[in-house]
Amino acid sequence: MLRLTWIEFFLRIIPETFILIYGIHIISKKSFDIPEYILSSILLAILIFFVRWLPIYFGVHTIISIILTISIMVIIKIPLIKAIYSTFLMYFILSLSEFLNMIILSFLTININILSPAIKCVYGAPSLIFILLFIIMINNLLKMKEGIKNVSN
């Protein structure tokens, strides 16, 4: 069970879900409807927060979060196949960015297990920046690919 505090909810989970859903929109090439985007991000953040409070084994909450994310993406009219691969790709990017952040923190010999929730969120912020950088790279690659398609036609 991953007990989270309300500080972690506001400083980590909400920004992370906004970035996650933004990335899914970019990868699935779905246009943005701002109220729908905000509502789905906040709803997903609340669901993930309570899923992490469930008395289940570590890792099961991630699978449940992926299923909830795919479900919400289908509800906001992203086709199922696009929702699945976009969600899996974004969760892979999320894991990769967390891994990179943990490597950086280990080089700096920072132990985040003994820190307060607010400090832990500050040390976790670089992973959110990494996710945004990955999304920007993916967006640029998709635009280049589309530009090449348009030129060749």
Side-chain angles (χ1 to χ4, degrees):
M1 172 171 20
L2 293 172
R3 287 276 177 183
L4 296 176
T5 64
W6 289 101
I7 292 172
E8 291 169 313
F9 174 73
F10 287 108
L11 294 180
R12 179 62 190 199
I13 294 179
I14 286 183
E16 187 175 284
T17 55
F18 271 94
I19 293 169
L20 184 79
I21 291 181
Y22 173 71
I24 292 171
H25 275 80
I26 294 295
I27 294 167
S28 65
K29 298 177 186 172
K30 183 186 186 291
S31 60
F32 282 91
D33 178 27
I34 299 298
E36 183 179 82
Y37 169 68
I38 293 171
L39 181 67
S40 61
S41 296
I42 292 173
L43 176 66
L44 184 62
I46 292 168
L47 290 172
I48 288 173
F49 180 74
F50 286 114
V51 162
R52 288 188 176 190
W53 278 48
L54 292 173
I56 53 181
Y57 290 107
F58 183 75
V60 176
H61 70 278
T62 305
I63 295 168
I64 294 171
S65 297
I66 288 171
I67 292 168
L68 289 172
T69 305
I70 292 169
S71 301
I72 289 175
M73 294 303 102
V74 169
I75 289 170
I76 63 171
K77 297 186 178 51
I78 293 178
L80 180 62
I81 299 300
K82 282 186 177 183
I84 291 171
Y85 76 76
S86 299
T87 300
F88 279 129
L89 182 58
M90 281 310 302
Y91 271 87
F92 173 74
I93 291 170
L94 178 66
S95 299
L96 183 63
S97 67
E98 290 287 336
F99 176 72
L100 291 173
N101 193 37
M102 293 307 291
I103 288 174
I104 291 170
L105 291 176
S106 69
F107 279 136
L108 298 174
T109 62
I110 296 172
N111 184 3
I112 62 166
N113 294 327
I114 57 173
L115 300 174
S116 70
I119 300 296
K120 203 186 300 188
C121 290
V122 170
Y123 284 139
S127 68
L128 296 177
I129 295 168
F130 292 145
I131 295 170
L132 278 173
L133 292 174
F134 281 125
I135 291 171
I136 291 169
M137 287 178 7
I138 289 171
N139 190 26
N140 288 337
L141 289 172
L142 290 173
K143 284 182 181 179
M144 276 183 14
K145 181 181 173 184
E146 220 167 272
I148 291 171
K149 261 189 200 177
N150 291 336
V151 170
S152 65
N153 289 336

